[in-house]
Amino acid sequence: MSSARRRLLERYRHAPAAHRARVLARAMTCPLEAVARATPTVGRVLDVGCGHGVVATHLALEGPGREVVGVDIDVEKLEVARGAARGVPGLRFEACGDALPPGRWDAVLLVDVLYLLPRGAQRAMLDRCVDALAPGGVLIVKCIARRPRWKLALTVAQELVATRVARITQGSAVEFVSPDETAAWMRERLTEVRARRIDAGLPHPHALVVGHALAEGRERRRASSRG
């Protein structure tokens, strides 16, 4: 286990045992380093659907120049996340519904969130996140690829248990849209959109899709050309 993961898990040492087990599983199977490398090292970062706060806490610990806010609808998980956040500068967690916190964000993250929504709601969520970006901001989507089939089957089984049996994740179904299709949606509103695999050595077919909002000057010029 890396020193960064040990430091992260230490923040959850006082969480209830069941939650600690979920946090451990999350920390060991999520490509945290790849997500962190795609995230600006300074500025305002919003983690949408943060759950126990594993990704948000990792980002805050490894990037002290970041102001990280995690939001979720699960108040029980948020309590665990807030316990982990105590004493970490620039890190906080908030409950939210459909609306995202106000203001503009240098980075917005959706890590294993979209596939818990129906296809149409996934596009709507992407639009809300794009609307929340500051000029030049980045949208980072960690999603699931559809190959190899055995990794996808393992992920589907795990998520169905989490949503339908154990009820530890909000949602009643999962719908995996391919990274390429997610990237195509993002290209309608963002620039420099790239999709890549980040699952080497991990049991799930992780993929990362990253796109950038236009900088303020370029946005004004584009608006002028449309007018």
Side-chain angles (χ1 to χ4, degrees):
M1 184 187 299
S2 70
S3 60
R5 277 182 167 78
R6 284 195 296 270
R7 186 182 179 202
L8 170 66
L9 292 172
E10 177 66 14
R11 305 296 311 180
Y12 291 88
R13 66 189 183 278
H14 297 307
H19 289 283
R20 286 203 311 274
R22 295 167 199 160
V23 165
L24 175 62
R26 178 70 164 157
M28 297 307 295
T29 60
C30 182
L32 296 172
E33 293 84 359
V35 174
R37 284 193 296 270
T39 306
T41 56
V42 296
R44 303 182 73 229
V45 178
L46 178 65
D47 182 12
V48 179
C50 65
H52 291 99
V54 170
V55 173
T57 302
H58 176 77
L59 292 175
L61 290 172
E62 300 306 307
R66 298 171 176 136
E67 176 192 345
V68 185
V69 178
V71 296
D72 204 281
I73 61 175
D74 191 321
V75 294
E76 186 176 357
K77 289 181 181 178
L78 285 173
E79 283 304 306
V80 175
R82 287 173 181 136
R86 290 192 187 102
V88 181
L91 175 63
R92 71 180 191 274
F93 294 96
E94 301 176 0
C96 78
D98 291 334
L100 300 181
R104 289 290 178 261
W105 302 86
D106 299 295
V108 176
L109 281 71
L110 289 165
V111 180
D112 297 321
V113 171
L114 286 183
Y115 58 71
L116 298 172
L117 304 172
R119 181 177 295 262
Q122 292 187 31
R123 293 204 64 167
M125 175 62 81
L126 287 173
D127 280 334
R128 286 199 294 275
C129 291
V130 171
D131 290 340
L133 288 174
V138 58
L139 176 58
I140 301 162
V141 179
K142 210 297 287 171
C143 54
I144 295 296
R146 302 185 67 84
R147 294 289 188 278
R149 289 186 179 276
W150 72 267
K151 283 192 175 185
L152 177 63
L154 175 63
T155 305
V156 170
Q158 177 179 302
E159 292 300 332
L160 289 177
V161 168
T163 56
R164 296 185 181 181
V165 180
R167 302 287 184 182
I168 59 175
T169 300
Q170 297 283 343
S172 58
V174 293
E175 184 165 358
F176 293 98
V177 173
S178 74
D180 287 341
E181 186 171 357
T182 300
W185 290 347
M186 290 168 60
R187 287 189 184 102
E188 295 176 9
R189 300 196 57 192
L190 299 173
T191 186
E192 300 176 39
V193 177
R194 299 286 186 274
R196 62 187 178 91
R197 295 291 293 266
I198 53 170
D199 60 326
L202 295 170
H204 305 299
H206 302 293
L208 200 66
V209 187
V210 179
H212 298 262
L214 289 175
E216 193 167 10
R218 292 178 63 192
E219 181 61 38
R220 283 200 302 266
R221 288 193 295 272
R222 189 169 75 168
S224 244
S225 67
R226 286 199 302 262

